[in-house]
Amino acid sequence: MEPTLAAHALTAATDITTAALSGDEPDEVLPSVVQKAAELARADLGLVMVRADDGSVVVEAAYGSHPKDLRGLLLPADSVAGKVARGGETVVTDDFTVDPRTAPHVPGDLRRYGPFAAAPFGAGGRVLGSLVVYRTRGSEGFSPGTVEVLTAFAAQVGVVLALAEGANARHRVTLYQERERIARELHDVIVQRLYAAGMQLDRVRRRMRKRFAGTDAARLGEAIDQLDQTIEEIRATVHSLRSPAPEPEQAPRTDLAESARDEVRIAEELLGYPPTLELSGEFADIPAERADHIRAALREALSNVVRHSGASETRVSLQREANEVRLRVRDNGAGVPQGVATRGLRHLAERAESAGGKFYLNSSPSLGTLVAFDLPLEPDRRAS
């Protein structure tokens, strides 16, 4: 191995390793990989071909003349690049357009090239694909020393990028888990406290309605509206923190039964009597996104009981079926006043529709109110 060329290869590999392990995404490092490979081999064109699940290889990065035209170029699994990407030996030829090993799979865009070398991009069980270099037809072929350096460079850099890809994936999972923790705290603690504070203020406003001056009552109403708006903004933030979840990690689960008990406890403090809670089925494994919809529906339904019904009895039923969760909130109050359904309850109808579920409301002054919210355990992709 030529000492100068080997030194250049070591420097190039060190630069790539530093970039990959400093947090850059592997895909962002590939252009530098193929550029350094082409420079080391004194090639006119360099390509990084990444292996797909079916064994074919696709060009992910290119360096040379018209490199953008070659990105996305696909070669079949039985091509030399495909075989090398599966962990085969480095293949070298002075004219890949006529060599029987390579000639059957020469893309039209590459017919002006002759000398060819393809090395495994990685080593052992961490081969990502092929690192391929070309010289224009009629040029001198690649020397054994150059091929040796290219093979060593491709193996080392490929392994580094495979390791970096795994590290970045673990980092994304860790980051998502931290975001999920923050989202859960915002949703289950902060929103719950704001909700309780808003309910208390509304209760005070209704009890003291005759004692408040008009301006004071208006200010208190504005404060309650601002709390509602803040809750909506926090919910939007929670949604942003939780999306997207990293593949292939599954969405976290939450104990919906415990959440329902918490909501009922808050309502009990505000109603002055304990609502009846009936739970049927297992709720500990409900996906968090699904549980959030149910929790929001229960909270809104109980909020309407507290604010508007004047009920002396409230029953909450939460039932887990094989493929869905069913929520029912019934009260014996005076029904939902005109105009209320255009606010929070309308949001529940929209939430149910967007999540692939069903919402309906039955309310009358003589029979009280029934709020029903049914949600499938798996999101309806057609509804999104």
Side-chain angles (χ1 to χ4, degrees), residues 9-243:
L10 179 61
T11 300
T14 301
D15 291 343
I16 297 298
T17 300
T18 300
L21 298 183
S22 66
D24 290 352
E25 290 289 339
D27 288 349
E28 298 174 357
V29 181
L30 288 180
S32 296
V33 170
V34 72
Q35 177 180 349
K36 292 183 182 299
E39 292 171 350
L40 287 171
R42 297 188 297 279
D44 298 303
L45 176 67
L47 302 176
V48 170
M49 299 184 180
V50 175
R51 185 178 72 250
D53 292 339
D54 62 358
S56 62
V57 288
V58 62
V59 176
E60 291 289 343
Y63 178 78
S65 57
H66 309 296
K68 292 183 180 180
D69 297 339
L70 297 172
R71 289 198 61 186
L73 178 67
L74 182 70
L75 291 178
D78 59 349
S79 65
V80 165
K83 293 175 181 177
V84 170
R86 293 196 296 275
E89 299 292 328
T90 298
V91 174
V92 186
T93 179
D94 288 339
D95 191 342
F96 85 119
T97 63
V98 298
D99 189 303
R101 297 172 298 174
T102 54
H105 302 288
V106 176
D109 293 337
L110 300 179
R111 289 196 172 277
R112 56 197 177 111
Y113 298 99
F116 164 97
F121 188 44
R126 299 185 181 275
V127 177
L128 301 177
S130 301
L131 184 57
V132 188
V133 291
Y134 306 80
R135 287 176 181 165
T136 54
R137 183 178 294 178
S139 300
E140 180 183 359
F142 295 104
S143 68
T146 298
V147 172
E148 185 180 3
V149 168
L150 178 69
T151 301
F153 174 77
Q156 179 180 351
V157 171
V159 169
V160 167
L161 288 186
L163 292 172
E165 188 173 38
N168 285 352
R170 288 191 297 274
H171 174 70
R172 286 193 294 271
V173 170
T174 300
L175 179 60
Y176 176 75
Q177 290 171 340
E178 179 63 12
R179 289 171 61 178
E180 172 61 24
R181 183 193 66 77
I182 295 171
R184 177 63 53 195
E185 187 166 320
L186 281 172
H187 197 285
D188 289 355
V189 179
I190 306 302
V191 167
Q192 191 174 74
R193 289 175 181 171
L194 288 174
Y195 166 75
M199 297 284 279
Q200 292 280 18
L201 285 175
D202 189 65
R203 189 180 182 187
V204 169
R205 179 179 62 174
R206 288 186 288 110
R207 286 184 173 181
M208 306 291 289
R209 191 184 305 274
K210 295 181 180 180
R211 301 184 187 182
F212 279 126
T215 55
D216 291 335
R219 287 171 185 165
L220 186 55
E222 289 175 2
I224 294 171
D225 290 340
Q226 288 174 4
L227 280 175
D228 288 342
Q229 180 63 32
T230 301
I231 289 173
E232 289 303 316
E233 290 173 356
I234 292 176
R235 284 174 175 165
T237 301
V238 168
H239 179 75
S240 298
L241 284 170
R242 285 179 172 161
S243 179

Side-chain angles (χ1 to χ4, degrees), residues 187 195 235 256 263 290-305 316 318 325-329 344-345 347-349 351-352 358-360 371-375:
H187 197 285
Y195 166 75
R235 284 174 175 165
L256 181 58
E263 298 297 336
R290 303 276 94 184
D292 285 347
H293 289 306
I294 298 294
R295 185 187 296 108
L298 175 57
R299 180 173 294 164
E300 186 59 43
L302 290 174
S303 172
N304 278 283
V305 175
V316 176
L318 193 60
V325 176
R326 296 178 179 178
L327 170 68
R328 301 289 184 271
V329 179
L345 295 176
H347 293 326
L348 284 189
R351 180 187 286 267
K358 298 176 182 178
F359 166 83
Y360 59 90
V371 172
F373 192 92
D374 297 339
L375 197 69

